[in-house]
Amino acid sequence: MGPAGIGALLLLLLRAAPCPGQLAGDTVFQPSFIHMSGPRVNSVFLGNSSGVNFSIILSPRDAETGKLQLANCSGSKRAGDWNLDVTPGVNTSKVTVSLNRTLELCLPNATECCPSPLCVVETLQVLACRGSVMLTQLLIQAEIFANSSFAGNVSENATIIPNQAFKPLGSCPCNLTAGACDVRCCCDLECTPDLQQLFNGSCFTGVFGGDVNPPYDQLCSSQSMEYTPEWFPFLCVQSSLDNTPFLGYFYHGSTSTPKVSSFKIPLQTSPGKPFTGYREGDPIITEEDEYFTVPQQSMAGQCVGNAPVAYLQNFDVKCLTNLESYKEGLPHDVRINTGTADFIQQNVVYRAITDRGKFITESENLAAEVLCQNVTFAEHYKFIWKDKNIEQVNVTVFFGSLCDGEILTQRFTVEFLSLNSTNGEELFENPGYQVGKPVKAANLNASDPLGSLDIWQPAGRGLCASTTDIPVLFGVDSYSGCILEVDINEDCSLLRGNVTEKLNALIQATHIGKRDNSSYSDLNDWVEIIRLDPFSSNVSTGGLKGFCPDIPANLNIRIIFAKVGAVQGIPQQEILAVQISYSTVLWQFQCGLGCRNTLSFLPITASVQFIEVPAQPPPPVTRYQKIYAEFDCNQNEVCWPQLLYPLTRFYTEPYSQCLAKGLFLAFLVLLAIIMSNPWSSKLWNR
């Protein structure tokens, strides 16, 4: 019986005879059997590892029965040349078994090595015990071969490999057998003249036979073409066989280094034109003509470290990181372009974090000696602006200690304040919404009209019970969600009501403000939210468990807005309508491993979409525009009405160029008239 058959037999014997004291279904190794062919293997211990002792033992087999001897809990984490390492976790622990010996083949008079290629053939057991009671066990069948690396003397003379573009690497491809003559391979140097006489008339031809650099047809000295045209001596190629296209190149030539474009943008659109300031949405530029970046969230919800900061667009984001993946952002000594080609320095204030609990969201079991480092916990940027320029930049940086194994929630905020603001509160110079500011909501049917329009911000495991709410920001399309735990015996009507209640909790409002300065006392400043209730189904499930149709699991918020004007060059944006709808899904219980868990997960989502429409409907297209659309120069690449444009006074080129182009155009027209019928036919007939 081979080694693989012995391992399979041992696995069957272990499964057939349960170990004493083993508790079924409590804890388990995953996988529980490993066929080991390398010096290290990993397994996972599923369950609570508190108070559990792990040990490894060598399991000898009974010579008569072939069964493994019964194991006990008195072992240790070292057995012979084997070591056991356990990395504990919350509900899972990583178990690593490694071999502590060399795997080199034995040389003469050498010790502590492998006497045969099959170096290690052993059976191991990893036991998980609580006291003297065995909880579960891991069986490992180790069959490890010795390393087959070269152990002889290595010459210091490096082999020079020629450039295959000019000289072939294999001059005799048919030489396949080392130290012997290959039949019909006339280029094989190992074939003696007597042997070559046996197949001299049947040698391999072409590249395989050693003709790796044949003359090509365009060569003047080549006579391979069956029918040589008469013009061949005038257009043939005079060259040596060293420059052959068969190898790939005619000449080596010189190569030019491509210019790598950097992540920069020009400040000037044309030479000599000054930088005229920022507009809303323009990226802020640094002194090095690069983007001023602060970590921000992408559409997928992940944080992007090199996201440019847009002018007059506030944001407040949180990013998860740990000590291993932590990266420093843009240095705070970078100077920023004010908008007039001048540069200002950032005013930075550093503060230490006193309460780390607000930022450390999850902490694993830390060892006695753990690596810690001072990192940035939060950064708050305040841009003081006036018109199209930046007057001042104030930065507050909070730093603290982050240790290995901890998860940090970093916070980055950017706020634009007008120079005319007082006490940090910005005056309402522009009554419209600005991108990045919260959408104003109200509950006008209640005594307290203050309302809210929020979306979820998941944390931890992403469960709905641990989520927090953040306001909907104007002009920012968002998509968030959480996971709801559902029992297999859940009533479908109660499930629909529970999901609808959690979605409606995000919208504690009946109206949305048209502008950012909407007054609660003026009903004309608000638009009523249009609600499309979810579809209610009366479909009976027939008593089936874990099956519910028409669950309103998706909340869709559509906000229609328009630009109705501008204040100091900044667009005034106004909300015109808000619609809320639901999308239903079919929930079905997902059976996990063994179907032992009666809980399943239902993801519910909320999406926000901003749709821009014209402030006024465009004028209808007239009948003339519909008929003569092909003559419209703004819609077609060819504009026939502007054929004589160079001859008009609106053409801004010098008079001499206009005259030359006009005469050339007249010549083309005259030539077209002459070559057209009937003039051309009479001319050719004569």
Side-chain angles (χ1 to χ4, degrees), residues 119-424:
C119 186
V120 179
V121 180
E122 292 179 347
T123 303
L124 308 174
Q125 290 190 58
V126 178
L127 308 179
C129 302
R130 184 175 281 115
S132 61
V133 179
M134 184 190 306
L135 302 179
T136 184
Q137 61 182 355
L138 166 64
L139 178 64
I140 301 177
Q141 178 64 43
E143 295 180 355
I144 306 176
F145 287 85
N147 293 334
S148 59
S149 59
F150 178 73
N153 296 326
V154 179
S155 175
E156 295 294 336
N157 298 327
T159 302
I160 300 177
I161 300 178
N163 188 354
Q164 299 184 52
F166 306 100
K167 186 175 182 180
L169 184 60
S171 59
C172 186
C174 60
N175 186 7
L176 304 178
T177 307
C181 176
D182 292 274
V183 180
R184 298 183 60 190
C185 186
C186 295
C187 61
D188 191 349
L189 299 179
E190 296 165 346
C191 296
T192 61
D194 296 336
L195 292 176
Q196 288 187 1
Q197 290 181 358
L198 300 177
F199 50 82
N200 195 16
S202 303
C203 295
F204 291 113
T205 60
V207 178
F208 187 70
D211 191 9
V212 295
N213 194 7
Y216 45 97
D217 296 339
Q218 292 78 12
L219 202 62
C220 294
S221 59
S222 175
Q223 302 294 334
S224 59
M225 299 182 62
E226 184 177 358
Y227 301 101
T228 303
E230 298 178 356
W231 45 262
F232 180 77
F234 300 98
L235 299 180
C236 62
V237 178
Q238 284 285 2
S239 177
S240 63
L241 290 180
D242 295 335
N243 298 323
T244 169
F246 185 80
L247 296 177
Y249 298 124
F250 273 106
Y251 300 98
H252 183 68
S254 60
T255 58
S256 60
T257 304
K259 183 178 179 181
V260 180
S261 59
S262 60
F263 191 62
K264 297 181 180 180
I265 61 173
L267 288 179
Q268 299 178 358
T269 55
S270 61
K273 182 178 179 180
F275 190 53
T276 57
Y278 295 103
R279 295 178 299 176
E280 183 187 9
D282 288 347
I284 296 178
I285 309 302
T286 63
E287 186 179 9
E288 291 77 15
D289 297 350
E290 297 179 350
Y291 290 128
F292 180 76
T293 60
V294 174
Q296 302 177 43
Q297 284 186 345
S298 64
M299 294 298 296
Q302 299 177 346
C303 284
V304 180
N306 57 349
V309 176
Y311 187 66
L312 295 182
Q313 293 186 2
N314 304 338
F315 62 83
D316 185 351
V317 300
K318 294 181 180 180
C319 302
L320 296 178
T321 184
N322 53 23
L323 188 59
E324 183 180 358
S325 60
Y326 173 79
K327 294 182 180 179
E328 288 288 346
L330 197 67
H332 295 104
D333 57 353
V334 174
R335 300 208 303 169
I336 297 177
N337 193 308
T338 61
T340 58
D342 295 330
F343 305 98
I344 58 175
Q345 192 72 36
Q346 306 177 49
N347 302 322
V348 186
V349 177
Y350 294 93
R351 296 179 182 177
I353 290 294
T354 57
D355 186 8
R356 296 174 67 251
K358 297 180 179 180
F359 296 90
I360 303 298
T361 58
E362 182 177 344
S363 177
E364 300 177 356
N365 296 331
L366 301 180
E369 297 182 1
V370 66
L371 177 64
C372 296
Q373 180 182 346
N374 277 340
V375 299
T376 300
F377 276 45
E379 292 182 356
H380 302 295
Y381 295 83
K382 287 189 177 181
F383 292 83
I384 310 301
W385 64 276
K386 181 180 179 181
D387 296 335
K388 297 182 179 181
N389 304 324
I390 299 175
E391 301 292 335
Q392 189 177 358
V393 180
N394 300 326
V395 185
T396 304
V397 180
F398 295 89
F399 63 91
S401 179
L402 177 64
C403 299
D404 192 11
E406 295 178 341
I407 297 179
L408 171 65
T409 301
Q410 289 183 299
R411 184 181 180 185
F412 301 93
T413 64
V414 170
E415 184 179 8
F416 287 85
L417 297 177
S418 173
L419 186 62
N420 300 326
S421 62
T422 57
N423 298 328

Side-chain angles (χ1 to χ4, degrees), residues 36 85 137 261 350 527 560 662 677:
M36 183 178 183
D85 295 325
Q137 61 182 355
S261 59
Y350 294 93
V527 293
I560 301 176
N677 289 323

Side-chain angles (χ1 to χ4, degrees), residues 647-662:
L647 303 179
T648 63
R649 60 184 179 89
F650 300 101
Y651 199 64
T652 57
E653 292 189 0
Y655 177 75
S656 58
Q657 295 185 12
C658 294
L659 180 61
K661 293 180 181 180

Side-chain angles (χ1 to χ4, degrees), residues 482-529:
C482 63
I483 299 175
L484 186 66
E485 292 183 327
V486 183
D487 190 82
I488 189 174
N489 298 319
E490 186 78 21
D491 182 74
C492 293
S493 299
L494 296 178
L495 179 59
R496 295 189 188 98
N498 187 19
V499 173
T500 305
E501 181 182 357
K502 290 187 178 297
L503 294 177
N504 290 335
L506 300 174
I507 311 170
Q508 300 295 329
T510 58
H511 293 74
I512 299 297
K514 293 181 179 179
R515 296 172 294 275
D516 194 20
N517 64 344
S518 298
S519 175
Y520 291 104
S521 59
D522 190 358
L523 188 60
N524 294 325
D525 288 351
W526 304 84
V527 293
E528 186 176 1
I529 299 176

